Each structure stands twice: as structure tokens, then as C-alpha cells.
Amino acid sequence: MSTLANQLVLAERQDVARGVRLLLGRPLITERGDPAAFELVRRRQGPLTKWFDYNCGWQLVVEPRLGYARLFKIRAVPHTSRPARRLRSGRAPFDRRRYTLLCVVAAELLPVPVTTVGLIADRVVQACAADEALPPFDTAGRSERMAFVDVLKLLEAYGALLTVDGVTESFVDSAEAKVLYRVDATVLMRLLAAPVGPSRLAVPAEDVPLRFEELLEGTVRESRYGGADASDAQRNLGLRHSVLRRLLDDPVLHHDELRADELAYLTSPTGRQIVRRAAEQGGFVLEERADGLLLVDPDGIATDSRFPDDSATARVAALLLLDPLTAAPGGLTPEQLTVEANGLLRRFPQWAKGYQSEDGAQRLTADAVRVLTDFGLAGRAGDRTVARPAAFRYRSTVTPATAGATTAVTPATAGPTT
């Protein structure tokens, strides 16, 4: 093979590896939002589509003329640690009200190519009034306007709603604000990643709360894997996809979190070979340990959430609480963790000012434990929080050079892919 041919092959491999990680970190990429990323995915559409289909069973749709690429990431069990977030300060997760408004706003935007913030609000008011299952929407309340703006900002971030004139945040201060939008219906319709549309699972409104988990699982049920009478080929396909989906989508994959058939597949010669090849082709570093597997992106491209991360108080506290957690084989109770958090707040009075209050230690503990569980570093055992095997990557160790001082050991990369 000539030198030029070698260079072309190497360039394609590097592009595919970068494209894989770009799409894992941002499953919706628009030409308007990131021209360079979209051009790379467009140029390597063929090998990227094959990679995701073979390894994960995920569909990649690239529309060059419409200017977007969408990776439909599906999981048998939706994960609650990745909520939609408010794009204003704090990035708090969406609550029930905002999710409800998101669904209603998206439905009302579909038939209108151009609209204003006031017209959208009016349509939402009418839609909520016409459906007894929906709580009323009243723009007279500031909290309602804030929730509404959070939804619009999220749709703007996705590229489904484009601001032509005005500023969306102005609606928080006044329901008379003037903002003009253009709606991208093609992107809007691609936001939902579910093989089965919710409308196909229609049930009486009063039954939804009782059957919510069943209905949610119904939207992600995939017929390609068969059912109870699945063939060997279908079962193997399902095992490959379920294992690699979790490995690519979760911060860490512990062996004890897998079903017996998934673990048998992962530890088989064929399974190990497929996992290693997928990691190499995706540009990841694969950590294989007795307790499980971890994929690390050296460039942080696929990492949508980082740990350690000194930009967030709860994540700093989570890192500091790992020391007492890893030193307690039986785990720690909420009260014991609160004592540790209280000690941190006393030692660093100028730090975590939002938690320097009477109930600050309890709130800091709750937020830090949530971080640890979301990253797969801690779990629950009754009322106790217990360190998971991956947590020991971050424990403090004593080194001779420091003569008794402790140094937190962290990986060279900013955090595993999620």
C-alpha cells in the first residue's frame, strides 16, 4: 500500500474515532451549532453509521441538506441521572412542570414555521385548557414564565427553535416581551428517541400514574431482538448491544450490575474481542479490572459530565467524601456523612457559601451522594451509602516523598465517558 493510501486510511480512522465520541457526547449535532463537527460526521457518515449499528444497534441519521445529524441512543431502562437541564445559572434539572411544558410546546410548534413568544404562550394556554389531564398554564405568574423560558431555551440549544429577533429571557420579566422565532420542524421531530411512539401506547389518563414504568419501557421495546422465542442469533445480538450500550453510555460498568447472560457474554473470548475493538475504533482507553470495565476518552470529547470537577461545589464535596467512604467497608449512614460534610464546611468557611447555613451540611451531603451514585462511584445498602469498586480510583494514598501527607489519586483524564 502506498504512503498516500496509508495516510488516507489513518485519516479516516482518526475521523471515525472522533465522530464516534462527538456523537456520544452530543447525539444531536447541527450545522448551524457546530459546523466543523457536522462536516466531520457528514463526511464519515458511512463508517459511523456502521459502527453504531454493529456495536450498539443505535441508528444514526444524517441529513446534509437539512443540516443535522442525530444519533438515536436507546436503552432498555432509561437512566434518571441525565435529566434535561435549565440553561440559566445553576443548570438545575427539569422538574415535572418543565417536562410537561416541553411536551406541550413542542407539539404546538410543529405546525408553525414562524412564531413569537407571545403566540407560543397563547397556544400553550389554550392547549392546557383543552386537556383536563394538563394543569392550566398562566403567564401572569413569574414562576410559570420562568419554566416556559427554560423550555424555549432548551429547544434553542437543540436547534429546533431559532431566535430571529429579541431575547427569550425577556419573557421572564414581562409577558408582553417581543421575541420572533423560526421553527425547524425537522429537528423538532427528531428529538424523541424511542422506537415506539407514546401515542401508540395510549391509555386512559387516570391509568398513566399506575402504569408509568410499564409505559416507559414500552416506548423503548425493540422487536429486532425477538421475545421469549428469540433465536440464538437474536439473543447474541441483544447481548452485544446491551453490554456495549451500557459501557458507552455509563461512567463505569461493574460486573455485578449485569445479568448472568450479559456477564457471560462480556467475559467470553468473543465478547472481550468485540469490546476491545470497539474501544480502539472509538478512540477510547479501555480499563479492564476484576470488578468491571471503564472507558476513558483522553480528549474529553465524549464526556458530557466530568468527575473530578472543581467547578461544582457538590462534585468537590463528593471527591472529598470518597476518603471516608472507601475507608468504611460497610458504608456510612446519612448522619455519618453529614458529620463529614459539616467538618468540611468548618475547615473551609469561605468555600461552598451556598451551603453555609443551618441545614447546609445535610444539603451538601445529599447533593454529593447524588453525584457519586450518578457516576457509579457509590451505591445504596439499606440506609447506608457504600463505595463502589470504581471509587477506589480516587482514594488518597500516602507517598514517601510527602512524609505522611496524603495526595488524592485521580486519573490522568478529566473523567470517563457518560
Side-chain angles (χ1 to χ4, degrees), residues 98-115:
R98 284 167 172 78
Y99 278 122
T100 301
L101 287 176
L102 175 61
C103 295
V104 177
V105 169
E108 295 302 319
L109 286 175
L110 275 175
V112 288
V114 178
T115 188

Side-chain angles (χ1 to χ4, degrees), residues 75-83 99 216 246 249-251 373-376:
R75 290 182 55 142
V77 180
H79 207 293
T80 59
S81 67
R82 299 176 181 86
Y99 278 122
L216 189 60
R246 293 186 61 178
D249 213 26
D250 290 345
T373 54
D374 285 350
F375 277 92

